[in-house]
Amino acid sequence: MERKTIGFIGAGKMAEALIGGLISKGVFEAGSIIACAPSEKTRNHVAGTYGIEMFATAAEVTARSDLLVLAVKPKHVLGVLSEEGVEIGAGKTLISIVAGLTIDALKSNVPDCKIIRVMPNHCCMVLEGAMGYSCDPSVDAETELSVQEILSAVGLAVKVDESYMDAITGVAGSSPAFMYLVLDAMASAGVLNGLSYNDSIRLAAQSMLGAAKMVLETGKHPDILRDEVCSPGGTTIEGVRTMEDMGVRSAMIAAVDDTIKKSRRMSGN
Ligand SMILES: NC(=O)c1ccc[n+]([C@@H]2O[C@H](COP(=O)([O-])OP(=O)(O)OC[C@H]3O[C@@H](n4cnc5c(N)ncnc54)[C@H](OP(=O)(O)O)[C@@H]3O)[C@@H](O)[C@H]2O)c1
């Protein structure tokens, strides 16, 4: 499929994840991707790693591309959008991955372009991200389809009403941190019982990956899958009972719910 050029404003960790995913999944060729970063070090690194053309300013990128990804830190957004020569007018599409930045806030700076707001998580870096995205009303079906394809290069992208972005932050944006805590605890139990931490953490992580795949690929409810692992009177049901006794389930609900509440407070919702 012939593609237009996609331009990244910012070339840090998340932009790199997307650029790497787009090239490795064949969604864009390196020659159809451009990006910018103020520091020469970043420009050299990204150009050298992915073979894409790099620029120093957002103005140079916006002049060369109608499909843009805003991937700078929140504190840099206003500065970037008001940079001399930055052109994001009618006919352009802006995919923003900036945490907490609403479509309305973007619209007040770039009123004429089509805007897609994405809340990704950092697992995009290994092409296993989980993302929620929302579109402003001017985004047509064809544009949305190509955005879906772009996001799918780095993980699972689910469309939601923008009012659910705080919930997406809890369930997807922040949730890898909760998984890391669980993984470290599991590995510690392995160490307690004589395994090396290295073996233990790799086995725990692979088990989490496998369990996640079972949920996604079988479509079965986690309760059904858990029952399949627990043989009557066996070892696993003992551990499950301990988890229930110690409130792991309600602790996880509270952790995700508190994250969502904090996100709502920060975004003024
Ligand atoms: N990291 C995550 O897990 C995560 C998860 C969800 C959402 N996000 C969102 O993703 C966005 C990017 O995060 P990140 O972790 O990729 O940040 P990052 O690694 O710090 O990258 C930011 C990039 O922006 C560039 N930049 C700074 N000022 C600029 C300007 N005036 N014009 C053009 N580029 C400029 C920086 O260039 P230099 O390299 O030259 O300094 C850098 O390449 C953030 O808004 C964040 O909220 C991140």
Side-chain angles (χ1 to χ4, degrees):
M1 191 194 307
E2 200 188 324
R3 288 251 174 218
K4 37 191 180 181
T5 297
I6 185 168
F8 286 80
I9 304 172
K13 293 181 287 296
M14 294 301 284
E16 261 201 70
L18 271 159
I19 292 165
L22 291 174
I23 294 171
S24 71
K25 298 272 174 78
V27 182
F28 280 84
E29 290 174 1
S32 300
I33 304 176
I34 58 175
C36 66
S39 80
E40 196 177 355
K41 188 174 169 214
T42 300
R43 294 200 297 275
N44 288 341
H45 164 71
V46 175
T49 307
Y50 304 100
I52 69 168
E53 193 174 3
M54 291 294 297
F55 296 90
T57 65
E60 290 166 284
V61 165
T62 57
R64 287 168 175 79
S65 175
D66 290 339
L67 177 57
L68 297 156
V69 179
L70 185 60
V72 296
K73 289 286 187 200
K75 63 182 177 191
H76 290 133
V77 170
L78 281 181
V80 167
L81 295 181
S82 59
E83 241 176 57
E84 203 178 320
V86 167
E87 265 299 323
I88 314 179
K92 299 214 180 198
T93 299
L94 182 66
I95 303 170
S96 167
I97 63 165
V98 180
L101 183 65
T102 64
I103 292 176
D104 272 356
L106 273 167
K107 275 271 166 197
S108 65
N109 287 284
V110 282
D112 300 322
C113 68
K114 299 172 203 160
I115 296 176
I116 294 95
R117 176 185 173 190
V118 185
M119 177 66 218
N121 68 19
H122 85 156
C123 304
C124 290
M125 293 174 203
V126 290
L127 313 188
E128 294 290 355
M131 290 155 275
Y133 74 93
S134 308
C135 303
D136 94 68
S138 68
V139 175
D140 54 275
E142 193 189 341
T143 304
E144 192 186 329
L145 201 67
S146 59
V147 169
Q148 253 287 352
E149 198 184 355
I150 288 163
L151 300 179
S152 299
V154 290
L156 175 70
V158 174
K159 186 182 183 184
V160 292
D161 185 272
E162 196 183 9
S163 59
Y164 293 111
M165 274 297 169
D166 298 304
I168 294 290
T169 301
V171 175
S174 304
S175 68
F178 312 145
M179 310 299 177
Y180 299 143
L181 189 143
V182 169
L183 285 172
D184 182 55
M186 289 176 76
S188 296
V191 172
L192 196 61
N193 286 276
L195 290 176
S196 71
Y197 187 85
N198 187 39
D199 284 347
S200 204
I201 191 73
R202 287 189 307 130
L203 290 167
Q206 178 61 37
S207 300
M208 189 176 275
L209 189 66
K213 275 194 160 181
M214 288 296 286
V215 170
L216 289 172
E217 290 180 15
T218 67
K220 290 182 183 173
H221 191 285
D223 279 352
I224 308 264
L225 291 166
R226 194 193 57 208
D227 282 352
E228 287 175 13
V229 185
C230 293
S231 33
T235 53
T236 311
I237 192 67
E238 281 296 329
V240 169
R241 184 184 61 172
T242 303
M243 290 179 84
E244 298 286 8
D245 282 352
M246 300 192 90
V248 170
R249 185 183 162 79
S250 50
M252 188 59 85
I253 292 173
V256 176
D257 191 45
D258 282 349
T259 304
I260 294 167
K261 284 179 181 144
K262 172 83 176 191
S263 177
R264 283 200 187 114
R265 284 198 297 279
M266 286 175 72
S267 53
N269 294 328

